[in-house]
Amino acid sequence: MAAHETSPDPRSVVADLGRYVTDSPSSYHAARAAAARLEAAGFTRLPEEEPWQHVHGRRYVLRDGALIAWVAPHGVPAGAGFRILGAHTDSPGFKLKPRPGTSAHGWHQAGVEVYGGPLLNSWLDRDLRLAGRLVVRGEDGTPAEVLTATGPVARIPQLAIHLDREANKGLTLDRQQHLQPVWGAGAEGADVLALLAAHAEGGPVDPERVLGHDVVLADTQEPALLGASGELFASGRLDNLSSVHAGLTALVREAEALEGGRRIAVLAAFDHEEIGSGTRSGAAGPFLEDVLVRLAEALDRTPAEHRRALADSVCLSADAGHLVHPNYAGHHDPVNRPEPGAGPLLKLNADQRYATDAVGAGIWAAACERAGVAHQQFVSNNRIPCGSTIGPLTATRLGIRTIDAGIGLLSMHSARELCHVADAAALDAVAGAFLTG
């Protein structure tokens, strides 16, 4: 079967992916942008703090910067399992420190910490915005959460070559001294929280009411097609909004078919993967287990039936992987060499840093065949240990068979990453085939 013959149109897929990335400068924005799309498709939010009486049909739950959505058929058998597509909403970069406003030599700066493992040099001399959530004191004195996002306001300036003639021989960046962005100049006005409060969603809030913040830096350059025929797609946060978008669009597109199916289809978009996932909204935390247990309870499943359902379940851990870099081909495995446009990657590792096993590889191959797309395999060069994903965490916490896969990128963990448009469309198609399989 020819690769991508039943895939969604690649250009339309990446155009919509670009809109989603633009709407999602932080994990909190990504979760809420996904929720807005689900609401438009007939999904209903279930608050975690309230009883769940009606879980059939199209439902979703928000927890901070994470989201879990599902389609549960009416009359789903008691022991029928879940088809789960897992991804993550966060990306490596920089997070705002407490008391972030500083001034030095006439420049206003924002104090930031490095978040995860970004390619630090890729963030230099780029037009940046601040985005995330503020917790503010409401009129009745209770804390309330509000999103905030500025336009282009900040920049991490590089030192001129005239002042460091050796810079091109090996750039060394001190994480404390060299990576604090500038966002203004003058004798007054170095109040970052006031800036964020002025850009709060729904209208400005009093900065004196701000009780806490989770705010990151985000690149402001628009996603764009590149290449002689527009076959390449450049964007920030492809790791891993490419996977969140694929799972989201597949769940929405296939919702009607899933309502008549025999399994519960789930999208689990976690936060904090780039820093180990060990949070209440991360994959190492209880979020997915909480939701699946509450689903079982609302469906009147016994504990034994719930365990049967988990044994009948599969999770596709969708996260970006690496294409062979033409300038650094020696960093890749000499035999398994993924190329752009040849399909998404099945990720394997002998030490189970990726959770794929032979049975999972078969399930993945079958989903790709149903979707009409080609796929490739990724394995690391033995001299270069691979990273990990939410896959092993999900397999370990819940005992669910888990497959690791995703689109291939160049420049992973850069402020701006690169993929092939056909691969993004192929992942979209495979996500649908997996959830309906």
Side-chain angles (χ1 to χ4, degrees):
M1 187 175 290
H4 314 311
E5 70 181 22
T6 61
S7 300
D9 175 63
R11 294 289 185 91
S12 64
V13 169
V14 295
D16 191 60
L17 171 57
R19 288 189 288 271
Y20 181 61
V21 170
T22 300
D23 291 340
S24 305
S26 75
S27 60
Y28 306 99
H29 287 84
R32 281 152 186 77
R37 290 178 176 226
L38 291 169
E39 291 274 355
F43 285 72
T44 301
R45 180 179 179 182
L46 297 181
E48 285 195 89
E49 64 275 11
E50 296 181 6
W52 291 1
Q53 297 176 333
H54 304 290
V55 298
H56 291 98
R58 309 178 189 192
R59 302 286 188 266
Y60 76 94
V61 180
L62 273 174
R63 181 183 287 189
D64 300 327
L67 173 145
I68 295 178
W70 66 88
V71 178
H74 287 275
V76 62
F82 304 92
R83 278 293 173 114
I84 303 166
L85 191 146
H88 65 89
T89 58
D90 64 321
S91 298
F94 299 87
K95 185 175 181 181
L96 207 62
K97 287 183 174 182
R99 301 173 61 190
T102 64
S103 295
H105 309 291
W107 298 102
H108 300 325
Q109 292 185 276
V112 295
E113 293 183 84
V114 177
Y115 178 90
L119 281 170
L120 299 175
N121 62 293
S122 71
W123 287 81
L124 302 179
D125 299 331
R126 301 191 67 85
D127 299 338
L128 305 174
R129 64 196 300 202
L130 293 163
R133 67 175 176 180
L134 303 176
V135 174
V136 300
R137 183 185 296 107
E139 296 297 336
D140 60 356
T142 59
E145 182 180 327
V146 61
L147 296 184
T148 183
T150 71
V153 296
R155 182 183 178 96
I156 303 175
Q158 194 165 189
L159 185 64
I161 190 70
H162 312 78
L163 303 177
D164 182 5
R165 298 287 183 177
E166 303 299 309
N168 288 330
K169 295 183 180 180
L171 179 64
T172 300
L173 296 170
D174 183 287
R175 291 182 169 221
Q176 179 61 41
Q177 185 177 355
H178 299 149
L179 297 174
Q180 308 308 308
V182 298
W183 63 275
E188 298 179 357
D191 190 343
V192 179
L193 293 183
L195 175 68
L196 292 166
H199 287 84
E201 187 175 78
V205 298
D206 182 353
E208 296 296 324
R209 291 168 49 204
V210 175
L211 303 174
H213 56 80
D214 292 304
V215 173
V216 297
L217 290 178
D219 187 26
T220 61
Q221 186 175 357
E222 290 289 325
L225 293 174
L226 304 177
S229 302
E231 69 272 27
L232 304 178
F233 182 66
S235 173
R237 287 176 42 77
L238 291 178
D239 177 17
N240 187 36
L241 293 188
S242 60
S243 298
V244 177
H245 178 264
L248 176 65
T249 55
L251 191 68
V252 168
R253 184 178 65 247
E254 305 293 346
E256 185 173 351
L258 291 168
E259 286 174 328
R262 292 179 54 81
R263 291 190 179 92
I264 299 174
V266 181
L267 168 65
F270 298 103
D271 202 352
H272 302 130
E273 190 274 346
E274 298 294 352
I275 55 171
S277 298
T279 67
R280 70 187 296 269
S281 53
F287 190 22
L288 180 57
E289 183 177 19
D290 287 349
V291 169
L292 298 187
V293 167
R294 294 189 68 176
L295 275 173
E297 291 172 346
L299 293 171
D300 293 324
R301 288 180 170 178
T302 67
E305 288 169 339
H306 180 56
R307 291 297 176 187
R308 286 172 50 202
L310 294 181
D312 186 47
S313 299
V314 183
C315 175
L316 176 60
S317 167
D319 203 347
H322 304 286
L323 299 174
V324 174
H325 196 302
N327 298 338
Y328 301 89
H331 286 64
H332 299 265
D333 182 75
V335 177
N336 299 279
R337 303 177 77 79
E339 297 183 354
L345 313 180
L346 178 68
K347 300 158 69 174
L348 303 107
N349 177 253
D351 290 336
Q352 288 289 284
R353 299 283 289 170
Y354 304 133
T356 307
D357 62 8
V359 176
I363 296 170
W364 167 256
C368 290
E369 184 175 356
R370 289 195 302 275
V373 304
H375 65 95
Q376 309 178 78
Q377 294 181 327
F378 171 83
V379 65
S380 290
N381 185 304
N382 288 343
R383 295 190 301 269
I384 305 172
C386 70
S388 191
T389 68
I390 67 168
L393 298 173
T394 303
T396 301
R397 277 197 60 89
L398 298 175
I400 293 175
R401 188 179 305 283
T402 303
I403 307 159
D404 270 295
I407 64 169
L409 303 179
L410 287 187
S411 306
M412 186 187 291
H413 284 203
S414 172
R416 193 166 177 85
E417 299 160 327
L418 187 71
C419 73
H420 196 287
V421 296
D423 294 335
L427 182 62
D428 186 297
V430 176
F434 171 77
L435 290 174
T436 56

